[in-house]
């Protein structure tokens, strides 16, 4: 369900869905420091293989089969020019970036020349902003492609989404538009080095904080063995009504339970 057009919530979502540039920000990110965002997915419709009901970009309306016909992806040259110009301008202003983050208008690995784009970003970082880490936030649906795995391993940080520990919750909380399962995610993350998991928790009409859900999630995290887990909750109005923010104390409890059972460290961003 979407919010009625007259409500402030609708306006807030609309602003978040306004067209993106190839580079945007810098943004002071809770997880990435002062970060230049990189969007490879064009300025139009959101391009994603999930339809998470909490997504700050709104619902995913574009089918994957429509992407090639509908989306005007930037060329590699346009990507190079936009990021280069933006960083040169920031350097002149004395701005020091902590990270260049490949995120943007959906799932970044769906960009048709993703491995080549990664090389472009790394080259610019090395030349113009050597102190910055290059990071990506990905939902992990393309990890069955070896070229994507190799490209992700070229980056400094890979943050892969894991919001559920069983397929039933995965369907509710991420609503995959491709064939996806927890078993597939566990298997395909094995090719990644030093993976960081990003896990979103929510209550209300979808609740992945119940004891059995958290236990399944902990078991899955234990199988993936990430170097770190980022735990976070709602901080914007979600597209689906009836979702509720998890109290920070509950997020902390989940984090402590994970570390106690698996020894894996987690950071809570509440
Ligand atoms: S994976 Fe990310 S971009 Fe895609 S729907 Fe979920 S939150 Fe939104």
């Amino acid at each position: 369900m979407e919010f009625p057009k007259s409500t402030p919530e609708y306006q807030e979502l609309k602003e978040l869905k306004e067209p993106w540039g190839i580079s945007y920000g810098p943004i002071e990110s809770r997880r990435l420091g002062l970060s230049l965002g990189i969007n490879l997915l064009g300025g139009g419709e959101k391009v994603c293989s999930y339809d998470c009901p909490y997504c700050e970009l709104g619902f995913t309306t574009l089918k994957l089969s429509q992407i090639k016909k509908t989306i005007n992806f930037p060329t590699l040259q346009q990507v190079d020019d936009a990021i280069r110009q933006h960083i040169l301008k920031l350097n002149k202003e004395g701005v020091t970036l902590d990270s260049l983050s490949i995120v943007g208008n959906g799932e970044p690995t769906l960009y048709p020349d993703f491995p080549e784009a990664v090389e472009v970003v790394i080259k610019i970082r090395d030349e113009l902003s050597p102190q910055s880490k290059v990071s990506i936030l990905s939902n992990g649906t393309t990890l069955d492609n070896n070229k994507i795995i190799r490209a992700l391993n070229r980056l400094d940080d890979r943050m892969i989404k894991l919001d559920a520990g069983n397929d039933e919750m995965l369907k509710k909380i991420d609503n995959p538009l491709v064939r996806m399962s927890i078993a597939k995610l566990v298997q395909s993350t094995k090719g990644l080095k030093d993976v960081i998991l990003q896990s979103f928790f929510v209550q209300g009409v979808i609740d992945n904080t119940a004891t059995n859900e958290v236990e399944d999630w902990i078991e899955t995290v234990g199988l993936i063995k990430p170097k770190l887990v980022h735990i976070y909750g709602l901080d914007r109005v979600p597209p689906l009504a009836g979702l509720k923010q998890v109290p920070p104390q509950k997020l902390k409890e989940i984090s402590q339970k994970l570390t106690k059972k698996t020894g894996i460290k987690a950071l809570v961003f509440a």
Side-chain angles (χ1 to χ4, degrees):
M1 184 187 131
E2 286 213 57
F3 289 95
K5 289 193 177 167
S6 55
T7 60
E9 287 85 356
Y10 179 89
Q11 282 310 318
E12 190 181 335
L13 263 181
K14 188 171 166 293
E15 276 162 30
L16 283 166
K17 286 158 82 176
E18 286 298 308
W20 300 69
I22 295 169
S23 63
Y24 56 94
I27 293 166
E28 188 61 57
S29 156
R30 291 187 292 174
R31 291 185 276 172
L32 304 163
L34 189 66
S35 175
L36 185 76
I38 295 170
N39 168 42
L40 302 170
L41 303 174
E45 285 210 57
K46 168 186 166 189
V47 176
C48 197
S49 42
Y50 274 179
D51 187 12
C52 308
Y54 62 83
C55 179
E56 62 186 41
L57 303 171
F59 289 115
T60 310
T61 50
L62 194 64
K63 290 192 183 120
L64 288 180
S65 58
Q66 297 171 319
I67 287 177
K68 276 196 181 147
K69 271 189 247 157
T70 314
I71 299 295
N72 193 11
F73 289 105
T75 63
L76 288 167
Q77 189 58 54
Q78 286 170 330
V79 170
D80 188 314
D81 289 346
I83 302 171
R84 198 173 281 281
Q85 291 316 315
H86 202 147
I87 297 181
L88 281 171
K89 181 171 167 282
L90 291 172
N91 284 352
K92 261 193 201 156
E93 291 166 2
V95 176
T96 305
L97 293 166
D98 298 311
S99 64
L100 311 183
S101 317
I102 307 174
V103 193
N105 197 13
E107 167 51 34
T109 62
L110 294 176
Y111 179 67
D113 299 314
F114 179 74
E116 292 80 3
V118 162
E119 295 308 319
V120 166
V121 177
I122 289 175
K123 187 164 184 280
I124 298 173
R125 184 278 307 272
D126 291 349
E127 283 175 28
L128 302 179
S129 191
Q131 77 288 347
S132 305
K133 281 186 166 184
V134 184
S135 311
I136 189 164
L137 268 66
S138 167
N139 63 21
T141 52
T142 58
L143 295 179
D144 50 0
N145 179 333
N146 283 335
K147 284 186 184 164
I148 303 280
I149 291 268
R150 275 199 294 275
L152 291 177
N153 282 339
R154 294 270 297 132
L155 303 174
D156 296 300
D157 279 325
R158 296 146 281 286
M159 293 166 221
I160 307 295
K161 178 180 290 299
L162 180 74
D163 298 337
N166 57 63
D167 291 342
E168 210 180 314
M169 182 51 71
L170 176 76
K171 197 165 176 346
K172 281 189 204 164
I173 199 162
D174 295 334
N175 199 9
L177 306 176
V178 290
R179 201 176 286 238
M180 195 60 189
S181 68
I182 295 296
K184 182 180 169 191
L185 189 71
V186 170
Q187 183 56 33
S188 54
T189 49
K190 291 195 187 308
L192 290 178
K193 27 176 218 196
D194 294 337
V195 65
I196 296 175
L197 291 177
Q198 33 155 347
S199 295
F200 172 88
F201 285 91
V202 73
Q203 293 178 332
V205 290
I206 299 171
D207 186 345
N208 61 344
T209 67
T211 307
N212 59 326
E213 298 297 343
V214 172
E215 278 172 3
D216 284 356
W217 173 79
I218 290 176
E219 197 182 321
T220 307
V221 175
L223 291 171
I224 295 175
K225 298 187 184 71
K227 71 167 180 180
L228 183 66
V229 180
H230 288 172
I231 291 177
Y232 65 109
L234 265 185
D235 67 351
R236 293 213 172 101
V237 178
L240 182 73
L243 293 178
K244 291 191 185 139
Q245 199 174 37
V246 181
Q249 185 52 34
K250 178 75 185 169
L251 294 179
K252 263 189 214 147
E253 280 169 28
I254 293 172
S255 142
Q256 285 162 353
K257 217 170 170 181
L258 171 75
T259 306
K260 196 170 167 210
K261 285 207 172 169
T262 63
I264 294 166
K265 201 176 152 206
L267 298 176
V268 175
F269 297 90

